[in-house]
Amino acid sequence: MQFSELTLRLLLIFFPGILASIIIDSITSHRGRDFKVFLLNSFILGLASYFILYILIGINNFFVKLQGLTPKLKVTFLKSLIDKQAAINIKEVVIASIIAIILAFLVSAAINHKVLHRFAKRLKITKKFGQLDVWSYVFDSPDIEWIVVRDVENDLMYQGWIEAFADTYDKNELFIREVNVYTNSTSEYLYFMEGIYITRDPNNLVLEFPQIGSQNQQEDDR
């Protein structure tokens, strides 16, 4: 696979955006994305990183002028992007990459904590909860800890607390700890296990939650 000089130039200039997109994709839950979406996100995050750098340099130059000195710092990003003869400022790319890493963590935190959806719900703009599906909505809730899993096909019932879970309903994976195992039909106690990994056909599983939130919180909700 060969890259043209222009492609390599763009990859270098937008390295901060590509780096930020990789970080965000790695630490947030999302469905599969088209490569075009990844490129678009990289482009936007790259522009945002250089824009933040531009603001920081502008603030620095403002204080330099107040001291009666001539500012020496400037952003050459746009010139490097438009003029293929202009040299790429590697130092600028490195600083923008550092900014992009910080930006990626902030964006990831906003996505994982559903900041946009919570704000929109508070303004009554939307009723969407932000997670990929109801599975992730349920298991992401801080109010849910204990679970009862009924395996209808194998006539088993597992009771324990949730240690880990799959990001989406499609994967349907659960790891529960301190598990009491019963027969589902008669509730006969069978055995105890420190931890059990469960993955089944979703149609054969029934999930029950004996307690959602603390008792005080439930009373407040009423």
Side-chain angles (χ1 to χ4, degrees), residues 139-156:
F139 288 103
D140 277 337
S141 172
D143 299 329
I144 293 177
E145 182 177 2
W146 292 91
I147 188 172
V148 174
V149 181
R150 297 184 184 273
D151 185 347
V152 179
E153 182 179 14
N154 296 309
D155 193 28
L156 292 172

Side-chain angles (χ1 to χ4, degrees), residues 66-123:
L66 288 180
Q67 296 175 4
L69 303 176
T70 301
K72 296 182 179 180
L73 296 177
K74 62 180 181 178
V75 177
T76 61
F77 161 71
L78 286 178
K79 184 177 180 181
S80 301
L81 186 62
I82 297 173
D83 185 2
K84 65 179 182 179
Q85 301 299 328
I88 298 175
N89 190 333
I90 300 299
K91 182 179 179 179
E92 184 177 287
V93 174
V94 172
I95 297 175
S97 297
I98 296 173
I99 294 174
I101 293 174
I102 299 173
L103 179 63
F105 282 118
L106 293 175
V107 171
S108 298
I111 293 173
N112 289 331
H113 291 282
K114 310 297 180 292
V115 173
L116 177 62
H117 287 84
R118 289 181 178 180
F119 179 72
K121 287 179 70 176
R122 182 161 296 182
L123 295 179

Side-chain angles (χ1 to χ4, degrees), residues 108-178:
S108 298
I111 293 173
N112 289 331
H113 291 282
K114 310 297 180 292
V115 173
L116 177 62
H117 287 84
R118 289 181 178 180
F119 179 72
K121 287 179 70 176
R122 182 161 296 182
L123 295 179
K124 300 187 183 302
I125 296 174
T126 183
K127 291 184 178 180
K128 291 186 175 181
F129 45 73
Q131 278 83 353
L132 298 176
D133 49 32
V134 178
W135 173 281
S136 58
Y137 172 77
V138 170
F139 288 103
D140 277 337
S141 172
D143 299 329
I144 293 177
E145 182 177 2
W146 292 91
I147 188 172
V148 174
V149 181
R150 297 184 184 273
D151 185 347
V152 179
E153 182 179 14
N154 296 309
D155 193 28
L156 292 172
M157 179 176 68
Y158 307 94
Q159 182 182 49
W161 58 271
I162 303 165
E163 171 76 15
F165 54 90
D167 290 334
T168 66
Y169 174 76
D170 297 334
K171 294 181 180 179
N172 187 34
E173 295 176 305
L174 276 176
F175 179 58
I176 56 179
R177 299 288 299 272
E178 299 181 14

Side-chain angles (χ1 to χ4, degrees), residues 1 3 7 10-22 25 33-48:
M1 186 177 183
F3 293 99
T7 301
L10 290 175
L11 286 174
L12 181 58
I13 293 174
F14 282 99
F15 176 78
I18 296 173
L19 180 61
S21 292
I22 291 174
D25 282 355
R33 291 176 180 167
D34 188 88
F35 184 64
K36 294 180 181 179
V37 176
F38 177 83
L39 289 180
L40 179 61
N41 290 342
S42 300
F43 176 74
I44 295 173
L45 291 166
L47 286 179

